Amino acid sequence: MSMQFGFSNVTHMQDLTMDLAYRAKCLPSRTPKYNSTAFVEGVVRCLRDVDSMEILRIQREMEDEGERYKSEGLVMTAPLFAAQDLQEFFHNPPPRSIVTGTTSEELDTSDDPLGESIAELLGIKNSKEVLKRYHEDLASNKLPFNHSASTQQIFLSSYVIGHAQREAGGKAYIYSYSNPRHPVHTDDLSYIMGVHEFEHDANEAVLAVLYPKFFMDFVKTGKPRRVLGLTLRPLRPSLPPEAHWTPLQAVLDNYMDINVDVDNGTMPHMALHYESEVVNYWKGLIDYDRQITALKKAVAETRAMDVSGVVDTGATSDGSSTVIELFLPLFAVVITIVIVTLLVRRREMRKQSFKDRSEKMPLFS
């Protein structure tokens, strides 16, 4: 089944849980102080003693009372998610064995061209620029696929978490439910949960036997396996030999293609390059995002150097001005002394010259 990354507010979910516990008579008040570990453990023990159908009845009762009483889903907190955010979780998830996959058309009927959720899922830093290019490609029919943004996100979520688990030492078994008659979101749940049921054709009658076995085998053994030899081969000796469902491998992006066509002998089989058109397109946009980040860094460094140069020049100018202002009075005094000295000497020279002339010339001619 497809991945889900719509995490809820922790405080809101805690409040809803305590409200449910109050209705189940496990609390004396709707708004208790639950900051004690012992207190929370006591509430959990009480709820475990309540019949599961009663818990479901209370939850449905709360949902019918209004939107604020509806549970929102998972919360990003330990022990399931020991991380601060989605990207941190992807970088260091606890190693597990998981089965995850998608239907071939998921939510293609939805009209959601924005793609913000994909940017968040992939940890894109320059979402404005990247989504602008995505929208341009979408508007000009340059996308190499015909899937809605919601479908792309579901494909990418299985791919990203699958490889995150592989890199962490876990095992991820990826699949694509590609039966063309019912290929949209949750259509496959009819085989394993009994919801969204529909009348089976000949191919889906076979899938109804095979599909739930994958999940039951995984729950029992930790490995989903082809089980034709145990279920259908005695009835149909012409069926192809079984294929082991191998965990996701780097580069290969191997997955189980789940489809049945009794007319041409198509059965679930291993295939390579899970949803490669969508995956490769967004890998290209991730590279584009990195280029933008590098360009912005280079521009910022260049501007910092320019500003630093201006500041240094300004600092030098300020220092020079300070020195000049400091010595300006001294310069004025020195210049004044020099000028006065020159004037005095000139005057003395004039006096001497006038005296000499006076001695040589009569007062009156």
Side-chain angles (χ1 to χ4, degrees):
M1 287 162 280
S2 55
M3 307 298 294
Q4 202 272 351
F5 293 113
F7 291 97
S8 308
N9 180 274
V10 176
T11 302
H12 176 63
M13 294 302 294
Q14 288 174 337
D15 292 342
L16 287 182
T17 302
M18 291 304 163
D19 195 303
L20 185 146
Y22 168 76
R23 297 174 189 237
K25 296 181 173 56
C26 288
L27 281 177
S29 168
R30 273 192 169 90
T31 57
K33 294 182 179 180
Y34 45 86
N35 53 1
S36 165
T37 301
F39 175 80
V40 173
E41 290 176 349
V43 173
V44 171
R45 283 195 299 270
C46 178
L47 288 173
R48 284 175 176 168
D49 292 334
V50 179
D51 183 75
S52 59
M53 295 305 295
E54 175 64 8
I55 294 290
L56 290 174
R57 185 197 67 77
I58 295 172
Q59 181 180 348
R60 182 56 184 267
E61 176 185 82
M62 293 172 64
E63 291 177 353
D64 289 343
E65 290 181 11
E67 288 293 326
R68 67 190 184 94
Y69 287 113
K70 289 185 178 181
S71 58
E72 299 174 350
L74 298 173
V75 292
M76 178 66 75
T77 185
L80 287 179
F81 301 98
Q84 296 298 317
D85 54 43
L86 196 57
Q87 294 307 313
E88 181 183 339
F89 176 73
F90 284 155
H91 289 147
N92 189 31
R96 298 282 189 271
S97 290
I98 64 170
V99 174
T100 181
T102 52
T103 60
S104 58
E105 296 181 14
E106 285 292 350
L107 298 174
D108 281 345
T109 56
S110 63
D111 183 18
D112 55 345
L114 298 179
E116 284 91 346
S117 56
I118 299 177
E120 180 182 359
L121 170 69
L122 300 180
I124 289 174
K125 296 180 174 60
N126 306 283
S127 58
K128 181 178 179 180
E129 294 88 342
V130 170
L131 291 179
K132 181 176 182 292
R133 171 167 287 191
Y134 167 70
H135 294 151
E136 290 172 350
D137 290 345
L138 177 64
S140 58
N141 295 319
K142 291 183 179 179
L143 295 179
F145 46 79
N146 187 27
H147 294 298
S148 68
S150 292
T151 296
Q152 294 172 58
Q153 183 197 16
I154 295 174
F155 289 168
L156 292 167
S157 64
S158 289
Y159 183 86
V160 168
I161 193 59
H163 279 291
Q165 275 295 337
R166 178 189 61 77
E167 293 172 0
K171 293 182 179 180
Y173 297 91
I174 309 295
Y175 71 87
S176 174
Y177 178 84
S178 59
N179 181 271
R181 187 163 179 258
H182 289 95
V184 300
H185 190 62
T186 71
D187 273 352
D188 56 332
L189 293 185
S190 65
Y191 302 124
I192 54 178
M193 293 185 178
V195 296
H196 308 297
E197 291 186 302
F198 48 82
E199 185 176 351
H200 297 161
D201 64 9
N203 300 321
E204 291 163 338
V206 177
L207 283 168
V209 176
L210 292 178
Y211 199 71
K213 287 291 290 181
F214 290 136
F215 295 93
M216 287 189 289
D217 282 351
F218 178 75
V219 171
K220 292 177 181 178
T221 69
K223 296 179 180 179
R225 294 172 296 181
R226 289 286 301 278
V227 290
L228 298 181
L230 299 178
T231 55
L232 299 179
R233 188 175 293 279
L235 303 177
R236 296 283 301 276
S238 62
L239 288 175
E242 297 181 22
H244 292 290
W245 189 339
T246 55
L248 181 66
Q249 302 294 316
V251 182
L252 296 179
D253 294 342
N254 50 299
Y255 67 101
M256 181 65 75
D257 186 342
I258 300 178
N259 187 24
V260 169
D261 189 324
V262 295
D263 293 329
N264 62 22
T266 297
M267 297 297 290
H269 59 278
M270 292 301 297
L272 301 179
H273 309 303
Y274 168 81
E275 299 298 346
S276 58
E277 290 181 339
V278 172
V279 169
N280 290 336
Y281 175 79
W282 282 98
K283 281 183 177 179
L285 288 187
I286 290 174
D287 288 339
Y288 178 57
D289 179 53
R290 290 170 180 163
Q291 293 171 14
I292 295 173
T293 299
L295 179 60
K296 287 183 177 180
K297 182 179 179 181
V299 170
E301 290 175 349
T302 302
R303 287 178 177 173
M305 291 175 62
D306 292 342
V307 171
S308 177
V310 171
V311 170
D312 291 342
T313 303
T316 303
S317 300
D318 292 343
S320 301
S321 299
T322 302
V323 171
I324 293 173
E325 291 172 358
L326 180 64
F327 287 94
L328 186 59
L330 180 60
F331 291 157
V333 171
V334 171
I335 292 173
T336 301
I337 293 173
V338 171
I339 293 174
V340 170
T341 301
L342 290 174
L343 290 174
V344 170
R345 290 185 63 184
R346 184 178 180 185
R347 185 174 182 180
E348 291 294 329
M349 291 176 64
R350 283 184 175 182
K351 283 183 178 181
Q352 184 64 37
S353 176
F354 179 77
K355 182 178 179 180
D356 292 342
R357 288 199 304 270
S358 297
E359 291 178 351
K360 294 178 181 180
M361 295 176 60
L363 186 57
F364 299 104
S365 57

